[in-house]
Amino acid sequence: MTDEQKPFEELEQRLNGRKVEYNAIPVPDAAVHQSVQTGIRQAARRRRSRVRWYMSSISTAAIILLFTGCIRVSPAFASFVEQWPGMEGIVSMIRQDKGLQMAIDQSLLQKVGITDEHDGASVTIDGIITDESRMVIFYTMKGMKALEKGEYDIDLLDENGKNLPVAFSYFSPGEISDMNIYENYIDVIFTDEASPPEELSVVFKPRDKAQSGEWKVTLPVDKNLTKGMKKVLPVNQTLTVDGQRIEVKQATLYPTRLVLDVTFDPKNTKKVFGLSDLQLVDEQGRAWRTDTTMGGDDERSIYFESMYFSIPKKLTLQGSGLSGLEKDELDFTLNLESGRITGGPSTIKFMGSEVVGKDRILEFSVPDINGGFTLAFTEIKDEVGKTYEVPSSSWRTEDVDSSGITSVHSTVENGAKMKGDLQMKLSTYPMKVKAPFSLEIPLDN
């Protein structure tokens, strides 16, 4: 081994050591992931200006567990890790995203290193990667009292102090080091209505109102690093999956992700919630993953890892089928007193309800929820026509019986006083249809 190779070998050993630590953590089911996806889809449908979704530290471990094999590092990626000691665990997770790693390899990381410190605690924005579609913000928190419970919120503001009209995710801390240091990143999605700001402020504040203070870091955004690095690949082909027509319009390639735009034919008999087990496969058999879908009822943008810096000779979209429901089964009536359901899918059952403060939690049993979609509603109306929001549905491992039937709890905001017949409309439902398909994506090399 040469002296030049030695630092990289040592780094690989440290990364593999951290991987072993994560492999020792017991991993739960995909409940939190389902909650994440539900939140994204509901937010996209309602066109809210801001969306947050959270994942626990154990879910972080679940993601890291997807990584197998020996960790290899490029000099640029190794330099990224060495500049911020202690980030090996997060780097292991980042490496699940081949496009993000290649963006770092191509020196697209904007170094920041700006800190806001007071009351014995500090937040540092270490660096960001951004293009027209996505921004990833790396940060470090030290000495914050709410860290051990993960009870803090994040706001993203533009140069005018207004909330960015974006969706973004971040991880709630689990176990914190003895030094009370926590390192992670915020993953931001820019939709058609938004683009990277000239100046960004990241605000961290305790969720507990009894704790005062907030931490705010303001930084310029260097958009020149990825300026003009957008490639549009026209597709204009139609898929037919389980009798449902889906037009694949175009693929847009950015340094940090590939965005595939699809449209579901309004004449389809089913409401298609999504396509199952999607991946893009190149001529070498490498698979490029997808994890997020945004859009309205019939138009969707599906986000994949980026192959911007390693464009293949051939690219094929593959899937195992779809998740969907006949359109005449989307609406049903629930009588709260009797529990009787009229209409809707035959597999949904009402299990009861509970009042919690001003809210009401409705419990339903539905088929195996591991198909990729949970139970979610666009809205609920009571017998006098008042409309209620249903911002979340949740389920746990213990809510699944031996046959796969799952108990789902849906929270109705300010629904404590609801009574009588409720008019309910489904936005997603765990109904998966197996119908394998593939479609070649034309590439302009």
Side-chain angles (χ1 to χ4, degrees):
M1 181 189 305
T2 67
D3 291 339
E4 184 178 351
Q5 292 173 324
K6 188 174 181 180
F8 301 116
E9 294 294 334
E10 291 175 350
L11 177 58
E12 288 170 7
Q13 291 175 8
R14 294 207 311 275
L15 287 171
N16 278 304
R18 184 62 66 92
K19 175 192 165 190
V20 171
E21 294 174 12
Y22 282 114
N23 283 342
I25 300 175
V27 180
D29 57 40
V32 180
H33 174 71
Q34 299 296 335
S35 177
V36 170
Q37 294 300 322
T38 300
I40 296 172
R41 294 187 185 99
Q42 288 181 336
R45 184 182 60 253
R46 282 180 254 189
R47 297 292 184 182
R48 288 182 175 177
S49 62
R50 221 175 6 146
V51 182
R52 298 184 181 88
W53 58 93
Y54 311 96
M55 298 183 76
S56 69
S57 59
I58 295 181
S59 298
T60 303
I63 294 175
I64 293 173
L65 281 171
L66 295 174
F67 177 70
T68 58
C70 181
I71 298 175
R72 304 300 298 178
V73 292
S74 68
F77 202 66
S79 175
F80 162 71
V81 181
E82 291 294 348
Q83 289 172 16
W84 296 326
M87 287 190 70
E88 293 95 333
I90 299 172
V91 169
S92 295
M93 184 169 58
I94 293 171
R95 285 185 62 87
Q96 304 313 305
D97 190 324
K98 294 186 287 292
L100 193 57
Q101 182 201 339
M102 285 189 285
I104 294 173
D105 285 345
Q106 295 294 322
S107 301
L108 298 184
L109 175 71
Q110 177 188 338
K111 300 174 185 177
V112 178
I114 300 176
T115 301
D116 183 15
E117 182 175 8
H118 55 82
D119 301 327
S122 68
V123 172
T124 301
I125 302 301
D126 300 299
I128 64 173
I129 298 176
T130 189
D131 55 30
E132 296 177 53
S133 175
R134 182 186 188 190
M135 176 186 288
V136 181
I137 306 166
F138 299 94
Y139 66 92
T140 301
M141 309 170 77
K142 295 182 180 180
M144 296 184 73
K145 294 179 181 179
L147 269 181
E148 64 274 7
K149 296 182 180 180
E151 296 178 349
Y152 65 92
D153 281 325
I154 295 177
D155 287 336
L156 302 179
L157 311 177
D158 64 15
E159 56 270 20
N160 299 313
K162 296 182 178 180
N163 288 309
L164 289 178
V166 297
F168 64 97
S169 66
Y170 58 99
F171 295 78
S172 294
E175 293 185 9
I176 307 300
S177 70
D178 294 337
M179 302 296 292
N180 200 16
I181 298 174
Y182 179 70
E183 298 164 307
N184 220 306
Y185 65 90
I186 306 164
D187 204 341
V188 182
I189 295 176
F190 295 111
T191 60
D192 293 339
E193 296 82 11
S195 60
E198 298 293 333
E199 183 179 84
L200 172 70
S201 290
V202 187
V203 182
F204 295 77
K205 52 190 178 184
R207 226 170 279 163
D208 184 356
K209 302 304 180 183
Q211 298 187 41
S212 60
E214 65 179 30
W215 287 258
K216 181 178 181 179
V217 177
T218 300
L219 59 134
V221 177
D222 185 358
K223 295 189 284 188
N224 289 325
L225 287 173
T226 56
K227 185 176 181 180
M229 299 177 70
K230 171 183 174 181
K231 300 178 180 179
V232 178
L233 308 175
V235 180
N236 298 321
Q237 298 186 56
T238 300
L239 275 171
T240 300
V241 183
D242 187 41
Q244 312 305 304
R245 289 172 55 85
I246 302 153
E247 182 185 354
V248 183
K249 298 167 66 176
Q250 66 179 28
T252 307
L253 192 56
Y254 301 92
T256 64
R257 64 160 43 104
L258 181 145
V259 183
L260 190 68
D261 292 321
V262 303
T263 299
F264 301 115
D265 191 333
K267 297 180 181 179
N268 286 339
T269 61
K270 289 184 176 181
K271 168 69 178 295
V272 179
F273 307 132
L275 301 174
S276 305
D277 304 317
L278 275 184
Q279 59 181 3
L280 291 168
V281 181
D282 67 15
E283 74 281 356
Q284 300 179 39
R286 292 183 299 177
W288 307 82
R289 305 172 306 142
T290 179
D291 59 2
T292 306
T293 300
M294 299 284 285
D297 286 338
D298 293 323
E299 295 185 354
R300 308 283 176 84
S301 293
I302 306 171
Y303 299 94
F304 292 84
E305 295 173 282
S306 175
M307 65 285 293
Y308 190 95
F309 298 105
S310 180
I311 296 179
K313 297 178 180 178
K314 182 180 179 182
L315 197 60
T316 304
L317 176 68
Q318 297 181 353
S320 64
L322 58 79
S323 180
L325 199 65
E326 294 293 338
K327 291 180 178 179
D328 59 8
E329 294 182 328
L330 295 173
D331 296 279
F332 65 89
T333 301
L334 166 66
N335 184 279
L336 270 181
E337 283 68 40
S338 67
R340 178 181 176 84
I341 291 178
T342 304
S346 61
T347 48
I348 189 171
K349 307 296 180 185
F350 180 61
M351 307 300 291
S353 70
E354 176 186 6
V355 173
V356 179
K358 295 181 179 180
D359 301 333
R360 181 181 291 272
I361 300 177
L362 305 176
E363 182 180 355
F364 298 90
S365 71
V366 296
D368 185 357
I369 215 160
N370 288 317
F373 285 82
T374 185
L375 172 72
F377 300 92
T378 56
E379 63 182 19
I380 294 177
K381 291 184 179 180
D382 66 12
E383 59 186 8
V384 297
K386 183 178 179 180
T387 299
Y388 298 85
E389 296 287 328
V390 190
S392 65
S393 294
S394 62
W395 59 278
R396 301 165 298 176
T397 302
E398 53 265 35
D399 295 329
V400 185
D401 67 16
S402 59
S403 63
I405 300 299
T406 306
S407 294
V408 179
H409 301 80
S410 298
T411 300
V412 184
E413 284 186 344
N414 301 311
K417 296 182 179 180
M418 290 192 312
K419 60 182 180 179
D421 288 339
L422 303 180
Q423 305 298 319
M424 311 186 72
K425 188 177 186 65
L426 292 165
S427 60
T428 61
Y429 191 75
M431 187 64 71
K432 191 173 182 179
V433 178
K434 290 186 177 180
F437 63 87
S438 65
L439 178 71
E440 186 169 338
I441 305 296
L443 297 173
D444 183 10
N445 293 318

